[in-house]
Amino acid sequence: EIVLTQSPGTLSLSPGERATLSCRASQSVSSSYLAWYQQKPGQAPRLLIYGASSRATGIPDRFSGSGSGTDFTLTISRLEPEDFAVYYCQQYGSFPITFGQGTRLEIK
Amino acid sequence: QVQLVESGGGVVQPGGSLRLSCAASGFTFSSYGMHWVRQAPGKGLEWVAFIRYDGSNKYYADSVKGRFTISRDNSKNTLYLQMNSLRAEDTAVYYCAKEEWELLHLYYFDYWGQGTLVTVSS
């Protein structure tokens, strides 16, 4: 099983700032099969990024993904008020599919 | 527009059973792989099970293997999760989730239902 470790656990930033979220895998994720989701309280997760760096339909270009192998990053270039939420990475290169434990992005 | 609507959640005693349903609309259900993902209260996401678009292949998380069964009825556009021998640690919101690509299994999820809460408690 591939274990995904996200850091930091909580990130406190202000609107307009840049956010950098990390996801590290316990072994290489094949074909960069890594996705990122955003979840707000009481809502289902929302797909942001797939294939490590491809933005999902309708996702603003302030969201970008990068990385390969075992190290992946989600960057939000300029935070908007609606971006404060919990973010999860997910690997889908092998079963069992696994998620990171999440990074909470909170307003400073 | 794509809609996934779960139902069937509720309170059940340890050792009991429950069947969840996910009614799909707005896309060709029979062409897409489907999954169940759960989230315990205040916790992160946990993948539970996958079923191929035609039902011919299934995978399960070790935590539910032998107790849960995923199935689908493509004539009814509905996904199911039969949950037996339920434990307190199965308490969670259960989401059904759709893969993005038709007939091509890339196991990430572009649409999710709103979730249904399962509580296992005596």
Side-chain angles (χ1 to χ4, degrees):
Chain A
E1 171 175 326
I2 297 178
V3 176
L4 299 178
T5 302
Q6 293 186 239
S7 61
T10 302
L11 186 57
S12 300
L13 294 170
S14 301
E17 290 192 293
R18 180 185 186 90
T20 302
L21 286 66
S22 173
C23 177
R24 179 161 290 178
S26 60
Q27 54 189 279
S28 184
V29 177
S30 62
S31 304
S32 295
Y33 284 163
L34 194 287
W36 289 93
Y37 299 86
Q38 176 193 70
Q39 188 178 34
K40 297 179 180 179
Q43 295 185 15
R46 173 194 182 197
L47 176 67
L48 299 174
I49 301 287
Y50 63 93
S53 60
S54 297
R55 262 189 308 276
T57 303
I59 301 303
D61 60 8
R62 65 180 182 273
F63 291 90
S64 64
S66 63
S68 64
T70 60
D71 288 297
F72 298 89
T73 301
L74 174 70
T75 302
I76 311 172
S77 59
R78 284 179 53 85
L79 285 166
E80 298 287 343
E82 62 267 27
D83 298 337
F84 292 91
V86 179
Y87 291 83
Y88 295 96
C89 58
Q90 175 222 345
Q91 70 79 24
Y92 54 97
S94 62
F95 283 102
I97 293 164
T98 50
F99 290 89
Q101 83 281 13
T103 289
R104 180 177 304 277
L105 179 56
E106 63 176 28
I107 299 177
K108 188 173 182 179
Chain B
Q1 72 282 19
V2 172
Q3 278 200 307
L4 298 170
V5 180
E6 301 95 337
S7 61
V11 180
V12 61
Q13 291 188 338
S17 298
L18 214 53
R19 189 177 84 154
L20 306 183
S21 299
C22 170
S25 61
F27 65 103
T28 306
F29 180 71
S30 60
S31 294
Y32 291 84
M34 296 293 295
H35 299 250
W36 289 97
V37 178
R38 68 184 181 183
Q39 187 169 35
K43 302 298 184 182
L45 301 169
E46 180 187 15
W47 172 79
V48 173
F50 153 78
I51 186 167
R52 187 177 144 103
Y53 60 89
D54 59 1
S56 65
N57 205 7
K58 305 173 186 180
Y59 288 104
Y60 298 92
D62 284 347
S63 58
V64 307
K65 201 173 295 183
R67 300 187 300 122
F68 290 12
T69 301
I70 189 172
S71 62
R72 65 192 297 159
D73 186 337
N74 286 344
S75 68
K76 294 183 178 179
N77 291 344
T78 303
L79 176 73
Y80 302 101
L81 186 68
Q82 177 66 43
M83 304 186 296
N84 299 331
S85 303
L86 282 160
R87 306 166 179 165
E89 54 265 35
D90 296 319
T91 295
V93 173
Y94 285 74
Y95 296 100
C96 63
K98 167 191 167 292
E99 293 177 6
E100 181 171 24
W101 298 100
E102 185 175 14
L103 302 176
L104 175 64
H105 287 300
L106 294 175
Y107 311 113
Y108 64 90
F109 318 123
D110 64 339
Y111 284 94
W112 299 61
Q114 85 289 349
T116 187
L117 177 62
V118 172
T119 303
V120 184
S121 174
S122 55

